[in-house]
Amino acid sequence: MTVLIGIDPGKSGGIVAIDADNKVVASTRMPLTLGSKGDLDTSQVRRWLLELPETPSLIMLEMLQARPAGKMSTTSAITMGRAHGALEGLLIGLQLPHELPQPNAWKKAMGLPRRPAKEADKRKTDAISLCRRLLPDLDLVPGRCRKPQDGIAEAGLLAVYARRVFVQGMTL
């Protein structure tokens, strides 16, 4: 079995594993230490990865993208950087094959329209709609959530992108 994984590393992100036929193997919201308020819980991510039925063939960990000054606090930027570095370090430590695609590159390859930052809600809706078409068996409303989670949708799309790169030989 081929297992391909997409990781949206944000606090509201997610991790999705699919097989070569686009069937969902496993998925989870990004595990945090104190529910929705804590930092990334790398021990849970590690456990999740090690409990998969097969070693992943390829993992797509979305690269952080710089935001203009004033759009994000310094504390938020540092927190995001630490979480991304911890995830990348975990993948390196577990010797798992991974790539770090730029958000604009993988979204363009997946056919998501470019939208300005002020249309963030439309970007989320676009990702959720495309994910529902490509991965209809992926639960986008996990646990006690009331609405679809765009972080899980983007992780699912990153997994499909990993499949296209790995199986179809696309280049990054």
Side-chain angles (χ1 to χ4, degrees), residues 26-141:
S27 67
T28 184
R29 293 173 69 186
M30 188 56 64
L32 303 175
T33 55
L34 300 172
S36 63
K37 304 222 184 275
D39 291 327
L40 172 69
D41 189 340
T42 52
S43 65
Q44 283 190 44
V45 174
R46 181 180 186 280
R47 188 175 318 114
W48 188 90
L49 289 167
L50 294 174
E51 288 175 356
L52 290 170
E54 294 284 330
T55 301
S57 299
L58 182 60
I59 299 171
M60 290 291 174
L61 170 61
E62 184 179 56
M63 179 60 93
L64 289 181
Q65 189 157 342
R67 296 194 180 148
K71 298 288 182 184
M72 175 187 282
S73 73
T74 304
T75 302
S76 292
I78 291 169
T79 300
M80 282 181 59
R82 287 181 62 221
H84 191 276
L87 286 168
E88 187 177 5
L90 177 64
L91 298 178
I92 291 167
L94 293 173
Q95 298 181 346
L96 297 174
H98 63 281
E99 300 286 342
L100 305 170
Q102 293 287 337
N104 289 339
W106 76 261
K107 288 177 182 182
K108 180 179 179 182
M110 292 301 296
L112 286 171
R114 276 191 77 146
R115 296 193 185 274
K118 66 183 178 186
E119 294 183 11
D121 287 342
K122 288 182 182 177
R123 287 191 301 197
K124 291 176 182 184
T125 303
D126 293 339
I128 290 167
S129 296
L130 181 58
C131 186
R132 281 189 168 144
R133 279 199 319 273
L134 297 176
L135 299 172
D137 55 334
L138 178 59
D139 182 9
L140 297 177
V141 190

Side-chain angles (χ1 to χ4, degrees), residues 1-5 18-23 57-60 158-172:
M1 172 194 287
T2 300
V3 175
L4 303 145
I5 296 177
I18 63 170
D19 65 16
D21 295 323
N22 267 9
K23 298 293 181 208
S57 299
L58 182 60
I59 299 171
M60 290 291 174
L158 278 158
V160 173
Y161 181 65
R163 179 185 167 276
R164 290 180 181 180
V165 169
F166 183 77
V167 176
Q168 298 172 356
M170 286 177 44
T171 57
L172 294 178

